[in-house]
Amino acid sequence: MAQAPIQFDRASGVLEGANAWERLAALALVLGSKVASNFSHRGYNMCANLLRTTLPERGIQIKLNPDATFEFPYGDGYWSKLLNRTYSYENELELLFQDSADVDYTLLDCGANYGYWSVLVSSKPFGSHKAIAIEPSGQNFPKLANNAKINGNRFEVMKCAIGAARGTARLSGTKHEAFSIAGDQSAGEEVPVIALDNLLDDGKVAPGGKYLIKLDVEGVEIEAMKGGARLMQADSVLLCEEHGNDPKHTVSRYILDQSLKLIVYDPRSHRLETVTDLSILDRIKVSTHVGYNVFGTASAFWLARIDALNAKAARRVQ
C-alpha cells in the first residue's frame, strides 16, 4: 500500500508526514535551490534526482495557497524547488494571472505536465477560472489527473499533444518536463494530436471568450500557433516559451511575423514591455539552459490590461 503523501505549506513552511531522512532531504533540496538560484538552477535537477534515488517512492503535496494543492513525486528535480519558499516559478506568468483574477477567461494549459498552472489559476485567490489542462505523456497524465482530483476536479484534463492539425505523433524524451513531438520521431509513445482551433470546432471553448493560452510544447510552438489562427484573433494571449539556447529568437520572430504584439517581461524595468526590436532578448535571455516566456496577442482588451498592470507596477516602485 502506498504511503500517504508528505504535506508542505509554502506559506508557513511547515512540513508534515516526513520521516527523519525525508526531513533531512528537504533541507538539502531547499539549500540546493537557494545556492543554485544564483546561476539559474543549473545542475539542480540532476542533483535532486540523484538524491531522489535514496528516498522511498512517495508523493509530496505542496499547498500553494489555501485553495491550491499540487502533488508530485518527492525529490523530483524539476518541482522540488517549490520547497524553497523564496523561489518563484515563472513569476512573469504569475504576475499576469494574479492581475487577471477579475477577468472572465479560460486558461488553455498546453503541455500542462502535472498541472501546476491549472491548479493555481482555478483556485480562489486567482479567480477560480475555468482551465483545460492538455498533456500528451502517458507518464505525466496520471499525475495531472491526480492533481485535478485532489483539487475537486475543478479543471478539465485532456490527453493529447498540440500541433498544427489533428493526427498522431510520437512523443519522446528522457525528462518529464521536456517530452516532445518535435523532429523525426521514429520511436517513443504514439499520442493523439489536436490543433488549438479544434477546441473551437469541438465545442470545448466558445469563439467569443477570453483566453490565456500557455504553450509549453517543447519545440513545436510555431506548429501550435499555426493551428490556432482563429483563437489568436479572439481575445487571447499566447504565453510561449522562448528558448535560452536560441540566439535567433525563432518563436518571438514568428509572433511578430503574424502581426501580433510581442510582449516580454524585462527584469530591468519590472514591466511587461512591448517588443519591436528583438535585440532586447539578447539581454534578457542570460541562460542557455532555461526558457523565457514571451506573450503574443492581437487583443485590444488584453493589451489594455497589460498597460494597466504596468501602471500599477510603476506606482508601487515610486
Side-chain angles (χ1 to χ4, degrees):
M1 184 176 172
Q3 284 182 285
I6 297 166
Q7 306 288 323
F8 179 70
D9 189 324
R10 283 204 96 200
S12 66
V14 172
L15 183 75
E16 295 180 314
N19 62 33
W21 172 234
E22 289 165 335
R23 286 184 173 278
L24 189 62
L27 289 173
L29 290 165
V30 172
L31 181 60
S33 173
K34 287 183 175 179
V35 171
S37 67
N38 294 310
F39 35 92
S40 303
H41 281 92
R42 183 181 285 277
Y44 178 85
N45 291 21
M46 183 181 69
C47 293
N49 284 328
L50 278 173
L51 178 61
R52 182 181 171 186
T53 63
T54 71
L55 296 166
E57 282 193 32
R58 65 187 300 200
I60 181 168
Q61 292 185 351
I62 306 273
K63 189 168 277 297
L64 302 174
N65 67 42
D67 190 40
T69 301
F70 180 64
E71 183 173 336
F72 57 87
Y74 189 48
D76 176 87
Y78 188 77
W79 290 113
S80 288
K81 305 176 192 79
L82 292 172
L83 288 163
N84 173 8
R85 295 163 65 208
T86 63
Y87 169 72
S88 178
Y89 179 67
E90 298 189 322
N91 60 321
E92 66 279 11
L93 296 187
E94 186 155 342
L95 191 69
L96 181 61
F97 290 141
Q98 282 182 326
D99 189 69
S100 305
D102 64 323
V103 178
D104 182 13
Y105 76 85
T106 297
L107 172 67
L108 304 181
D109 190 0
C110 306
N113 189 260
Y114 301 165
Y116 177 89
W117 286 118
S118 291
V119 168
L120 212 52
V121 161
S122 62
S123 71
K124 289 175 185 173
F126 281 75
S128 300
H129 292 288
K130 180 183 177 183
I132 302 175
I134 302 169
E135 170 58 44
S137 164
Q139 178 181 317
N140 291 350
F141 188 80
K143 298 177 178 69
L144 170 62
N146 178 63
N147 275 316
K149 181 181 176 184
I150 65 177
N151 288 280
N153 287 313
R154 66 190 183 206
F155 60 88
E156 185 177 351
V157 295
M158 295 175 64
K159 188 184 180 301
C160 56
I162 297 292
R166 282 192 211 270
T168 59
R170 292 277 177 183
L171 182 79
S172 63
T174 56
K175 300 176 182 177
H176 71 74
E177 68 273 18
F179 291 137
S180 179
I181 61 169
D184 180 20
Q185 305 283 11
S186 55
E189 173 190 0
E190 185 171 275
V191 296
V193 178
I194 65 165
L196 282 169
D197 282 346
N198 293 149
L199 297 171
L200 291 166
D201 302 332
D202 298 345
K204 292 284 187 185
V205 298
K210 292 181 173 64
Y211 302 100
L212 293 176
I213 305 169
K214 174 79 171 81
L215 273 186
D216 191 355
V217 289
E218 301 301 330
V220 290
E221 291 84 1
I222 289 173
E223 292 299 298
M225 284 188 260
K226 288 177 181 176
R230 279 181 287 151
L231 261 181
M232 281 311 304
Q233 293 309 311
D235 276 328
S236 300
V237 184
L238 276 175
L239 317 171
C240 290
E241 192 171 74
E242 174 68 67
H243 296 282
N245 63 358
D246 177 12
K248 295 182 179 178
H249 317 310
T250 308
V251 171
S252 294
R253 198 174 298 279
Y254 184 82
I255 288 172
L256 286 177
D257 286 346
Q258 303 313 298
S259 300
L260 302 173
K261 294 287 188 183
L262 175 68
I263 296 159
V264 62
Y265 179 75
D266 185 349
R268 184 180 289 179
S269 66
H270 304 289
R271 288 167 48 91
L272 290 167
E273 302 284 7
T274 301
V275 174
T276 52
D277 181 356
L278 291 177
S279 64
I280 189 177
L281 293 171
D282 295 327
R283 171 169 61 80
I284 292 171
K285 290 163 59 175
V286 294
S287 297
T288 58
H289 69 290
V290 299
Y292 295 84
N293 286 300
V294 296
F295 304 166
T297 187
S299 167
F301 171 83
W302 284 111
L303 287 169
R305 290 289 304 201
I306 289 167
D307 284 345
L309 174 57
N310 282 332
K312 284 184 220 170
R315 287 196 294 272
R316 282 196 296 269
V317 170
Q318 289 173 354

